[in-house]
PDB file of all heavy atoms in Angstrom:
ATOM      1  N   PRO A 296      81.329 113.687 188.293  1.00  0.00           N
ATOM      2  CA  PRO A 296      82.505 113.045 188.890  1.00  0.00           C
ATOM      3  C   PRO A 296      83.796 113.380 188.142  1.00  0.00           C
ATOM      4  O   PRO A 296      83.779 113.748 186.964  1.00  0.00           O
ATOM      5  CB  PRO A 296      82.179 111.551 188.762  1.00  0.00           C
ATOM      6  CG  PRO A 296      81.276 111.478 187.561  1.00  0.00           C
ATOM      7  CD  PRO A 296      80.456 112.722 187.582  1.00  0.00           C
ATOM      8  N   LYS A 297      84.901 113.236 188.839  1.00  0.00           N
ATOM      9  CA  LYS A 297      86.207 113.394 188.228  1.00  0.00           C
ATOM     10  C   LYS A 297      86.476 112.210 187.314  1.00  0.00           C
ATOM     11  O   LYS A 297      86.261 111.060 187.692  1.00  0.00           O
ATOM     12  CB  LYS A 297      87.291 113.495 189.311  1.00  0.00           C
ATOM     13  CG  LYS A 297      88.673 113.748 188.769  1.00  0.00           C
ATOM     14  CD  LYS A 297      89.677 113.722 189.924  1.00  0.00           C
ATOM     15  CE  LYS A 297      90.671 114.536 189.977  1.00  0.00           C
ATOM     16  NZ  LYS A 297      91.637 114.562 191.054  1.00  0.00           N
ATOM     17  N   VAL A 298      86.940 112.501 186.088  1.00  0.00           N
ATOM     18  CA  VAL A 298      87.130 111.427 185.117  1.00  0.00           C
ATOM     19  C   VAL A 298      88.578 111.257 184.675  1.00  0.00           C
ATOM     20  O   VAL A 298      88.939 110.216 184.120  1.00  0.00           O
ATOM     21  CB  VAL A 298      86.243 111.658 183.866  1.00  0.00           C
ATOM     22  CG1 VAL A 298      84.778 111.515 184.230  1.00  0.00           C
ATOM     23  CG2 VAL A 298      86.502 113.016 183.222  1.00  0.00           C
ATOM     24  N   ALA A 299      89.413 112.259 184.908  1.00  0.00           N
ATOM     25  CA  ALA A 299      90.787 112.130 184.429  1.00  0.00           C
ATOM     26  C   ALA A 299      91.687 113.187 185.049  1.00  0.00           C
ATOM     27  O   ALA A 299      91.221 114.228 185.525  1.00  0.00           O
ATOM     28  CB  ALA A 299      90.857 112.239 182.901  1.00  0.00           C
ATOM     29  N   GLU A 300      92.974 112.883 185.059  1.00  0.00           N
ATOM     30  CA  GLU A 300      94.022 113.843 185.381  1.00  0.00           C
ATOM     31  C   GLU A 300      95.028 113.824 184.242  1.00  0.00           C
ATOM     32  O   GLU A 300      95.538 112.763 183.876  1.00  0.00           O
ATOM     33  CB  GLU A 300      94.705 113.516 186.714  1.00  0.00           C
ATOM     34  CG  GLU A 300      93.832 113.733 187.939  1.00  0.00           C
ATOM     35  CD  GLU A 300      94.595 113.519 189.235  1.00  0.00           C
ATOM     36  OE1 GLU A 300      95.764 113.049 189.176  1.00  0.00           O
ATOM     37  OE2 GLU A 300      94.059 113.834 190.317  1.00  0.00           O
ATOM     38  N   ILE A 301      95.288 114.994 183.676  1.00  0.00           N
ATOM     39  CA  ILE A 301      96.129 115.087 182.490  1.00  0.00           C
ATOM     40  C   ILE A 301      97.332 115.987 182.774  1.00  0.00           C
ATOM     41  O   ILE A 301      97.157 117.131 183.206  1.00  0.00           O
ATOM     42  CB  ILE A 301      95.341 115.658 181.292  1.00  0.00           C
ATOM     43  CG1 ILE A 301      94.104 114.809 181.005  1.00  0.00           C
ATOM     44  CG2 ILE A 301      96.215 115.755 180.055  1.00  0.00           C
ATOM     45  CD1 ILE A 301      93.186 115.392 179.959  1.00  0.00           C
ATOM     46  N   PRO A 302      98.559 115.484 182.551  1.00  0.00           N
ATOM     47  CA  PRO A 302      99.723 116.355 182.706  1.00  0.00           C
ATOM     48  C   PRO A 302      99.765 117.399 181.591  1.00  0.00           C
ATOM     49  O   PRO A 302      99.534 117.087 180.422  1.00  0.00           O
ATOM     50  CB  PRO A 302     100.917 115.391 182.619  1.00  0.00           C
ATOM     51  CG  PRO A 302     100.398 114.209 181.852  1.00  0.00           C
ATOM     52  CD  PRO A 302      98.937 114.099 182.179  1.00  0.00           C
ATOM     53  N   VAL A 303     100.022 118.633 181.944  1.00  0.00           N
ATOM     54  CA  VAL A 303     100.033 119.743 180.997  1.00  0.00           C
ATOM     55  C   VAL A 303     101.339 120.517 181.136  1.00  0.00           C
ATOM     56  O   VAL A 303     101.763 120.831 182.248  1.00  0.00           O
ATOM     57  CB  VAL A 303      98.838 120.688 181.235  1.00  0.00           C
ATOM     58  CG1 VAL A 303      98.911 121.891 180.302  1.00  0.00           C
ATOM     59  CG2 VAL A 303      97.515 119.956 181.037  1.00  0.00           C
ATOM     60  N   ARG A 304     101.962 120.809 180.009  1.00  0.00           N
ATOM     61  CA  ARG A 304     103.128 121.673 180.000  1.00  0.00           C
ATOM     62  C   ARG A 304     102.703 123.048 179.474  1.00  0.00           C
ATOM     63  O   ARG A 304     102.268 123.177 178.333  1.00  0.00           O
ATOM     64  CB  ARG A 304     104.246 121.103 179.125  1.00  0.00           C
ATOM     65  CG  ARG A 304     105.511 121.994 179.092  1.00  0.00           C
ATOM     66  CD  ARG A 304     106.520 121.475 178.080  1.00  0.00           C
ATOM     67  NE  ARG A 304     107.074 120.215 178.478  1.00  0.00           N
ATOM     68  CZ  ARG A 304     108.165 120.090 179.248  1.00  0.00           C
ATOM     69  NH1 ARG A 304     108.795 121.172 179.682  1.00  0.00           N
ATOM     70  NH2 ARG A 304     108.612 118.902 179.575  1.00  0.00           N
ATOM     71  N   LEU A 305     102.830 124.067 180.303  1.00  0.00           N
ATOM     72  CA  LEU A 305     102.474 125.421 179.907  1.00  0.00           C
ATOM     73  C   LEU A 305     103.502 125.986 178.929  1.00  0.00           C
ATOM     74  O   LEU A 305     104.641 125.496 178.871  1.00  0.00           O
ATOM     75  CB  LEU A 305     102.387 126.315 181.141  1.00  0.00           C
ATOM     76  CG  LEU A 305     101.364 125.923 182.218  1.00  0.00           C
ATOM     77  CD1 LEU A 305     101.386 126.927 183.359  1.00  0.00           C
ATOM     78  CD2 LEU A 305      99.967 125.821 181.627  1.00  0.00           C
ATOM     79  N   PRO A 306     103.135 126.999 178.144  1.00  0.00           N
ATOM     80  CA  PRO A 306     104.117 127.622 177.245  1.00  0.00           C
ATOM     81  C   PRO A 306     105.378 128.100 177.965  1.00  0.00           C
ATOM     82  O   PRO A 306     106.444 128.173 177.356  1.00  0.00           O
ATOM     83  CB  PRO A 306     103.340 128.802 176.649  1.00  0.00           C
ATOM     84  CG  PRO A 306     101.918 128.363 176.699  1.00  0.00           C
ATOM     85  CD  PRO A 306     101.791 127.551 177.943  1.00  0.00           C
ATOM     86  N   SER A 307     105.265 128.409 179.256  1.00  0.00           N
ATOM     87  CA  SER A 307     106.424 128.829 180.042  1.00  0.00           C
ATOM     88  C   SER A 307     107.355 127.676 180.372  1.00  0.00           C
ATOM     89  O   SER A 307     108.473 127.886 180.834  1.00  0.00           O
ATOM     90  CB  SER A 307     105.963 129.494 181.338  1.00  0.00           C
ATOM     91  OG  SER A 307     105.261 128.557 182.152  1.00  0.00           O
ATOM     92  N   GLY A 308     106.921 126.432 180.146  1.00  0.00           N
ATOM     93  CA  GLY A 308     107.691 125.255 180.498  1.00  0.00           C
ATOM     94  C   GLY A 308     107.259 124.608 181.802  1.00  0.00           C
ATOM     95  O   GLY A 308     107.682 123.496 182.120  1.00  0.00           O
ATOM     96  N   GLU A 309     106.410 125.304 182.583  1.00  0.00           N
ATOM     97  CA  GLU A 309     105.940 124.773 183.862  1.00  0.00           C
ATOM     98  C   GLU A 309     105.038 123.554 183.641  1.00  0.00           C
ATOM     99  O   GLU A 309     104.224 123.521 182.723  1.00  0.00           O
ATOM    100  CB  GLU A 309     105.175 125.848 184.630  1.00  0.00           C
ATOM    101  CG  GLU A 309     104.654 125.392 185.983  1.00  0.00           C
ATOM    102  CD  GLU A 309     103.783 126.438 186.658  1.00  0.00           C
ATOM    103  OE1 GLU A 309     103.790 127.610 186.196  1.00  0.00           O
ATOM    104  OE2 GLU A 309     103.072 126.090 187.633  1.00  0.00           O
ATOM    105  N   GLU A 310     105.222 122.536 184.496  1.00  0.00           N
ATOM    106  CA  GLU A 310     104.405 121.329 184.441  1.00  0.00           C
ATOM    107  C   GLU A 310     103.258 121.435 185.434  1.00  0.00           C
ATOM    108  O   GLU A 310     103.452 121.797 186.592  1.00  0.00           O
ATOM    109  CB  GLU A 310     105.245 120.096 184.762  1.00  0.00           C
ATOM    110  CG  GLU A 310     106.410 119.840 183.811  1.00  0.00           C
ATOM    111  CD  GLU A 310     105.979 119.160 182.529  1.00  0.00           C
ATOM    112  OE1 GLU A 310     104.777 118.809 182.427  1.00  0.00           O
ATOM    113  OE2 GLU A 310     106.822 118.985 181.629  1.00  0.00           O
ATOM    114  N   ARG A 311     102.034 121.112 184.967  1.00  0.00           N
ATOM    115  CA  ARG A 311     100.867 121.090 185.838  1.00  0.00           C
ATOM    116  C   ARG A 311     100.025 119.852 185.553  1.00  0.00           C
ATOM    117  O   ARG A 311     100.226 119.172 184.547  1.00  0.00           O
ATOM    118  CB  ARG A 311     100.016 122.339 185.647  1.00  0.00           C
ATOM    119  CG  ARG A 311     100.612 123.618 186.200  1.00  0.00           C
ATOM    120  CD  ARG A 311      99.595 124.731 186.182  1.00  0.00           C
ATOM    121  NE  ARG A 311     100.180 126.004 186.614  1.00  0.00           N
ATOM    122  CZ  ARG A 311      99.508 127.141 186.666  1.00  0.00           C
ATOM    123  NH1 ARG A 311      98.219 127.170 186.326  1.00  0.00           N
ATOM    124  NH2 ARG A 311     100.115 128.253 187.061  1.00  0.00           N
ATOM    125  N   VAL A 312      99.094 119.600 186.452  1.00  0.00           N
ATOM    126  CA  VAL A 312      98.136 118.518 186.268  1.00  0.00           C
ATOM    127  C   VAL A 312      96.740 119.130 186.157  1.00  0.00           C
ATOM    128  O   VAL A 312      96.290 119.830 187.065  1.00  0.00           O
ATOM    129  CB  VAL A 312      98.189 117.508 187.431  1.00  0.00           C
ATOM    130  CG1 VAL A 312      97.080 116.463 187.261  1.00  0.00           C
ATOM    131  CG2 VAL A 312      99.541 116.830 187.493  1.00  0.00           C
ATOM    132  N   GLN A 313      96.076 118.879 185.048  1.00  0.00           N
ATOM    133  CA  GLN A 313      94.723 119.360 184.853  1.00  0.00           C
ATOM    134  C   GLN A 313      93.722 118.274 185.226  1.00  0.00           C
ATOM    135  O   GLN A 313      93.827 117.139 184.768  1.00  0.00           O
ATOM    136  CB  GLN A 313      94.490 119.787 183.405  1.00  0.00           C
ATOM    137  CG  GLN A 313      93.085 120.335 183.163  1.00  0.00           C
ATOM    138  CD  GLN A 313      92.824 120.715 181.727  1.00  0.00           C
ATOM    139  OE1 GLN A 313      93.682 120.521 180.865  1.00  0.00           O
ATOM    140  NE2 GLN A 313      91.656 121.272 181.443  1.00  0.00           N
ATOM    141  N   GLU A 314      92.771 118.645 186.048  1.00  0.00           N
ATOM    142  CA  GLU A 314      91.718 117.722 186.447  1.00  0.00           C
ATOM    143  C   GLU A 314      90.512 117.904 185.532  1.00  0.00           C
ATOM    144  O   GLU A 314      90.069 119.023 185.280  1.00  0.00           O
ATOM    145  CB  GLU A 314      91.321 117.967 187.899  1.00  0.00           C
ATOM    146  CG  GLU A 314      92.439 117.720 188.904  1.00  0.00           C
ATOM    147  CD  GLU A 314      91.988 117.991 190.328  1.00  0.00           C
ATOM    148  OE1 GLU A 314      91.318 119.016 190.556  1.00  0.00           O
ATOM    149  OE2 GLU A 314      92.292 117.178 191.216  1.00  0.00           O
ATOM    150  N   LEU A 315      89.976 116.781 185.034  1.00  0.00           N
ATOM    151  CA  LEU A 315      88.795 116.809 184.193  1.00  0.00           C
ATOM    152  C   LEU A 315      87.616 116.206 184.943  1.00  0.00           C
ATOM    153  O   LEU A 315      87.733 115.143 185.553  1.00  0.00           O
ATOM    154  CB  LEU A 315      89.029 116.034 182.896  1.00  0.00           C
ATOM    155  CG  LEU A 315      89.911 116.679 181.834  1.00  0.00           C
ATOM    156  CD1 LEU A 315      90.006 115.773 180.615  1.00  0.00           C
ATOM    157  CD2 LEU A 315      89.353 118.038 181.425  1.00  0.00           C
ATOM    158  N   PHE A 316      86.492 116.914 184.893  1.00  0.00           N
ATOM    159  CA  PHE A 316      85.277 116.468 185.546  1.00  0.00           C
ATOM    160  C   PHE A 316      84.171 116.315 184.516  1.00  0.00           C
ATOM    161  O   PHE A 316      84.116 117.064 183.530  1.00  0.00           O
ATOM    162  CB  PHE A 316      84.848 117.463 186.625  1.00  0.00           C
ATOM    163  CG  PHE A 316      85.833 117.618 187.744  1.00  0.00           C
ATOM    164  CD1 PHE A 316      86.889 118.519 187.637  1.00  0.00           C
ATOM    165  CD2 PHE A 316      85.716 116.871 188.893  1.00  0.00           C
ATOM    166  CE1 PHE A 316      87.807 118.675 188.663  1.00  0.00           C
ATOM    167  CE2 PHE A 316      86.633 117.019 189.928  1.00  0.00           C
ATOM    168  CZ  PHE A 316      87.675 117.922 189.808  1.00  0.00           C
ATOM    169  N   ASN A 317      83.314 115.368 184.745  1.00  0.00           N
ATOM    170  CA  ASN A 317      82.193 115.124 183.844  1.00  0.00           C
ATOM    171  C   ASN A 317      81.047 116.094 184.192  1.00  0.00           C
ATOM    172  O   ASN A 317      79.924 115.687 184.495  1.00  0.00           O
ATOM    173  CB  ASN A 317      81.741 113.669 183.984  1.00  0.00           C
ATOM    174  CG  ASN A 317      80.813 113.219 182.873  1.00  0.00           C
ATOM    175  OD1 ASN A 317      80.064 112.271 183.042  1.00  0.00           O
ATOM    176  ND2 ASN A 317      80.851 113.872 181.711  1.00  0.00           N
ATOM    177  N   ASP A 318      81.353 117.403 184.080  1.00  0.00           N
ATOM    178  CA  ASP A 318      80.380 118.440 184.417  1.00  0.00           C
ATOM    179  C   ASP A 318      79.491 118.758 183.217  1.00  0.00           C
ATOM    180  O   ASP A 318      79.840 118.488 182.059  1.00  0.00           O
ATOM    181  CB  ASP A 318      81.093 119.714 184.864  1.00  0.00           C
ATOM    182  CG  ASP A 318      81.882 119.533 186.156  1.00  0.00           C
ATOM    183  OD1 ASP A 318      81.575 118.593 186.913  1.00  0.00           O
ATOM    184  OD2 ASP A 318      82.794 120.351 186.409  1.00  0.00           O
ATOM    185  N   THR A 319      78.362 119.371 183.509  1.00  0.00           N
ATOM    186  CA  THR A 319      77.453 119.861 182.477  1.00  0.00           C
ATOM    187  C   THR A 319      77.247 121.356 182.679  1.00  0.00           C
ATOM    188  O   THR A 319      76.904 121.802 183.775  1.00  0.00           O
ATOM    189  CB  THR A 319      76.098 119.140 182.530  1.00  0.00           C
ATOM    190  OG1 THR A 319      76.289 117.745 182.276  1.00  0.00           O
ATOM    191  CG2 THR A 319      75.143 119.707 181.485  1.00  0.00           C
ATOM    192  N   VAL A 320      77.482 122.156 181.627  1.00  0.00           N
ATOM    193  CA  VAL A 320      77.266 123.591 181.697  1.00  0.00           C
ATOM    194  C   VAL A 320      75.967 123.916 180.970  1.00  0.00           C
ATOM    195  O   VAL A 320      75.697 123.414 179.878  1.00  0.00           O
ATOM    196  CB  VAL A 320      78.467 124.373 181.104  1.00  0.00           C
ATOM    197  CG1 VAL A 320      78.725 123.995 179.656  1.00  0.00           C
ATOM    198  CG2 VAL A 320      78.252 125.877 181.230  1.00  0.00           C
ATOM    199  N   ILE A 321      75.144 124.743 181.606  1.00  0.00           N
ATOM    200  CA  ILE A 321      73.825 125.102 181.092  1.00  0.00           C
ATOM    201  C   ILE A 321      73.794 126.600 180.812  1.00  0.00           C
ATOM    202  O   ILE A 321      74.242 127.402 181.633  1.00  0.00           O
ATOM    203  CB  ILE A 321      72.716 124.730 182.095  1.00  0.00           C
ATOM    204  CG1 ILE A 321      72.838 123.249 182.485  1.00  0.00           C
ATOM    205  CG2 ILE A 321      71.338 125.006 181.508  1.00  0.00           C
ATOM    206  CD1 ILE A 321      71.979 122.872 183.675  1.00  0.00           C
ATOM    207  N   GLY A 322      73.269 126.981 179.645  1.00  0.00           N
ATOM    208  CA  GLY A 322      73.157 128.384 179.272  1.00  0.00           C
ATOM    209  C   GLY A 322      71.711 128.831 179.222  1.00  0.00           C
ATOM    210  O   GLY A 322      70.826 128.083 178.791  1.00  0.00           O
ATOM    211  N   PHE A 323      71.461 130.065 179.669  1.00  0.00           N
ATOM    212  CA  PHE A 323      70.102 130.615 179.737  1.00  0.00           C
ATOM    213  C   PHE A 323      70.012 131.897 178.907  1.00  0.00           C
ATOM    214  O   PHE A 323      70.965 132.686 178.841  1.00  0.00           O
ATOM    215  CB  PHE A 323      69.709 130.925 181.187  1.00  0.00           C
ATOM    216  CG  PHE A 323      69.782 129.725 182.101  1.00  0.00           C
ATOM    217  CD1 PHE A 323      70.975 129.384 182.732  1.00  0.00           C
ATOM    218  CD2 PHE A 323      68.671 128.944 182.324  1.00  0.00           C
ATOM    219  CE1 PHE A 323      71.048 128.280 183.581  1.00  0.00           C
ATOM    220  CE2 PHE A 323      68.736 127.829 183.167  1.00  0.00           C
ATOM    221  CZ  PHE A 323      69.922 127.503 183.789  1.00  0.00           C
ATOM    222  N   ASN A 324      68.863 132.122 178.276  1.00  0.00           N
ATOM    223  CA  ASN A 324      68.683 133.317 177.458  1.00  0.00           C
ATOM    224  C   ASN A 324      68.221 134.512 178.292  1.00  0.00           C
ATOM    225  O   ASN A 324      68.214 134.454 179.532  1.00  0.00           O
ATOM    226  CB  ASN A 324      67.724 133.046 176.288  1.00  0.00           C
ATOM    227  CG  ASN A 324      66.289 132.789 176.758  1.00  0.00           C
ATOM    228  OD1 ASN A 324      65.923 132.970 177.924  1.00  0.00           O
ATOM    229  ND2 ASN A 324      65.444 132.376 175.827  1.00  0.00           N
ATOM    230  N   LYS A 325      67.806 135.578 177.634  1.00  0.00           N
ATOM    231  CA  LYS A 325      67.406 136.811 178.301  1.00  0.00           C
ATOM    232  C   LYS A 325      66.283 136.603 179.299  1.00  0.00           C
ATOM    233  O   LYS A 325      66.219 137.273 180.341  1.00  0.00           O
ATOM    234  CB  LYS A 325      67.000 137.843 177.248  1.00  0.00           C
ATOM    235  CG  LYS A 325      66.528 139.169 177.806  1.00  0.00           C
ATOM    236  CD  LYS A 325      66.092 140.110 176.695  1.00  0.00           C
ATOM    237  CE  LYS A 325      65.585 141.437 177.247  1.00  0.00           C
ATOM    238  NZ  LYS A 325      65.146 142.352 176.149  1.00  0.00           N
ATOM    239  N   PHE A 326      65.387 135.668 179.011  1.00  0.00           N
ATOM    240  CA  PHE A 326      64.206 135.441 179.844  1.00  0.00           C
ATOM    241  C   PHE A 326      64.411 134.345 180.884  1.00  0.00           C
ATOM    242  O   PHE A 326      63.455 133.896 181.514  1.00  0.00           O
ATOM    243  CB  PHE A 326      63.010 135.118 178.958  1.00  0.00           C
ATOM    244  CG  PHE A 326      62.763 136.140 177.887  1.00  0.00           C
ATOM    245  CD1 PHE A 326      62.859 135.799 176.536  1.00  0.00           C
ATOM    246  CD2 PHE A 326      62.472 137.451 178.209  1.00  0.00           C
ATOM    247  CE1 PHE A 326      62.648 136.747 175.548  1.00  0.00           C
ATOM    248  CE2 PHE A 326      62.259 138.407 177.215  1.00  0.00           C
ATOM    249  CZ  PHE A 326      62.346 138.053 175.892  1.00  0.00           C
ATOM    250  N   GLY A 327      65.668 133.899 181.059  1.00  0.00           N
ATOM    251  CA  GLY A 327      65.964 132.867 182.040  1.00  0.00           C
ATOM    252  C   GLY A 327      65.617 131.464 181.601  1.00  0.00           C
ATOM    253  O   GLY A 327      65.620 130.533 182.411  1.00  0.00           O
ATOM    254  N   LYS A 328      65.320 131.292 180.315  1.00  0.00           N
ATOM    255  CA  LYS A 328      64.970 129.983 179.779  1.00  0.00           C
ATOM    256  C   LYS A 328      66.230 129.212 179.397  1.00  0.00           C
ATOM    257  O   LYS A 328      67.133 129.754 178.755  1.00  0.00           O
ATOM    258  CB  LYS A 328      64.066 130.145 178.562  1.00  0.00           C
ATOM    259  CG  LYS A 328      63.670 128.834 177.900  1.00  0.00           C
ATOM    260  CD  LYS A 328      62.854 129.077 176.639  1.00  0.00           C
ATOM    261  CE  LYS A 328      62.526 127.770 175.924  1.00  0.00           C
ATOM    262  NZ  LYS A 328      61.760 127.995 174.665  1.00  0.00           N
ATOM    263  N   GLU A 329      66.295 127.948 179.785  1.00  0.00           N
ATOM    264  CA  GLU A 329      67.424 127.108 179.385  1.00  0.00           C
ATOM    265  C   GLU A 329      67.388 126.867 177.880  1.00  0.00           C
ATOM    266  O   GLU A 329      66.386 126.403 177.339  1.00  0.00           O
ATOM    267  CB  GLU A 329      67.382 125.772 180.116  1.00  0.00           C
ATOM    268  CG  GLU A 329      68.522 124.822 179.714  1.00  0.00           C
ATOM    269  CD  GLU A 329      68.425 123.448 180.346  1.00  0.00           C
ATOM    270  OE1 GLU A 329      67.970 123.358 181.512  1.00  0.00           O
ATOM    271  OE2 GLU A 329      68.780 122.452 179.684  1.00  0.00           O
TER     272      GLU A 329
END
């Protein structure tokens, strides 16, 4: 689920809103094992 919205100022000065989600990233090795 979405957990937050954070205002972000880029180095260029542009203002944006970053959305944060409670995601899980999974990595697998050469043999496809988590």
Side-chain angles (χ1 to χ4, degrees):
K297 184 184 219 179
V298 293
E300 291 185 352
I301 303 173
V303 176
R304 180 187 292 271
L305 300 181
S307 64
E309 180 186 347
E310 299 279 355
R311 288 190 184 179
V312 175
Q313 181 182 3
E314 297 179 316
L315 286 181
F316 297 86
N317 194 202
D318 295 339
T319 298
V320 58
I321 306 168
F323 302 87
N324 67 10
K325 179 182 179 181
F326 306 117
K328 178 184 177 182
E329 178 185 325

